Amino acid sequence: MEQTLSIIKPDAVKKGVIGKIVDRFESNGLRIAAMKKLELSKKDAQNFYAVHRERPFFGELVEFMTSGPVVVMVLEGEDAVSKNRKLMGATNPKEAEKGTIRADFAESIDANAVHGSDSLENANIEINFFFAKREIS
Ligand code: ATP
Ligand code: MG
């Protein structure tokens, strides 16, 4: 069993597709082990995406992630990290495979509906960033 972190980004929350996205996970063998809705501060977003701080799009990324509420979740299941990435689709929704979350709900590479941890190691770090042990069950 693995755990991974998922974020429903501000564009998808604004569109009102939280339920539809959660359904993709639950219908594909990923259990919601923790879930909450919150607004990231600028500091939160900068720290969360610190690996990208040298990239040219970092400013826009932080701006976007703080543009409205997000839903953060711990997903649990077999191969949860890679399964979630597969369900999400490519970073650029225009390149995302049909039937993936990004192909169906995202508009652009900045507003791409969801985040998912890219490795088990990062999943651990990202889960601890958002959740206390007692919030995960
Ligand atoms: P995420 O980390 O959000 O799950 P990802 O792992 O598919 O997405 P990363 O390479 O980690 O993609 O990039 C993090 C986020 O930065 C992307 O989700 C996207 O919103 C933004 N991003 C990535 N590349 C670009 C780009 N070339 N131009 C604008 N924004 C970008
Ligand atoms: Mg990433």
Side-chain angles (χ1 to χ4, degrees):
M1 277 297 172
E2 282 182 8
Q3 290 185 336
T4 189
L5 186 93
S6 169
I7 304 179
I8 303 179
K9 294 185 179 183
D11 58 320
V13 172
K14 278 194 191 113
K15 261 191 198 167
V17 292
I18 295 172
K20 285 183 176 157
I21 292 175
V22 169
D23 180 55
R24 297 288 172 103
F25 300 136
E26 291 190 320
S27 299
N28 287 281
L30 292 174
R31 199 177 67 78
I32 312 297
M35 172 154 75
K36 60 188 169 191
K37 184 162 174 251
L38 56 99
E39 284 195 53
L40 296 177
S41 69
K42 200 169 172 183
K43 273 235 167 71
D44 288 331
Q46 285 170 338
N47 289 336
F48 185 77
Y49 276 120
V51 287
H52 294 310
R53 71 182 163 265
E54 305 301 336
R55 310 279 285 275
F57 56 80
F58 185 66
E60 285 161 62
L61 178 58
V62 169
E63 189 81 9
F64 171 67
M65 290 302 287
T66 57
S67 66
V70 298
V71 173
V72 290
M73 286 168 285
V74 177
L75 306 178
E76 187 178 276
E78 217 172 291
D79 299 319
V81 172
S82 64
K83 189 179 271 183
N84 179 38
R85 297 287 299 190
K86 208 168 272 167
L87 292 171
M88 288 163 61
T91 307
N92 185 347
K94 292 186 178 75
E95 290 161 12
E97 223 175 292
K98 247 174 97 183
T100 60
I101 293 168
R102 282 168 167 165
D104 292 347
F105 302 117
E107 305 308 327
S108 67
I109 193 162
D110 332 73
N112 62 2
V114 280
H115 161 84
S117 309
D118 59 10
S119 68
L120 199 51
E121 191 191 352
N122 284 335
N124 250 312
I125 294 168
E126 293 178 357
I127 288 168
N128 289 327
F129 184 89
F130 281 112
F131 291 99
K133 283 271 172 296
R134 67 174 178 282
E135 294 179 297
I136 305 169
S137 60

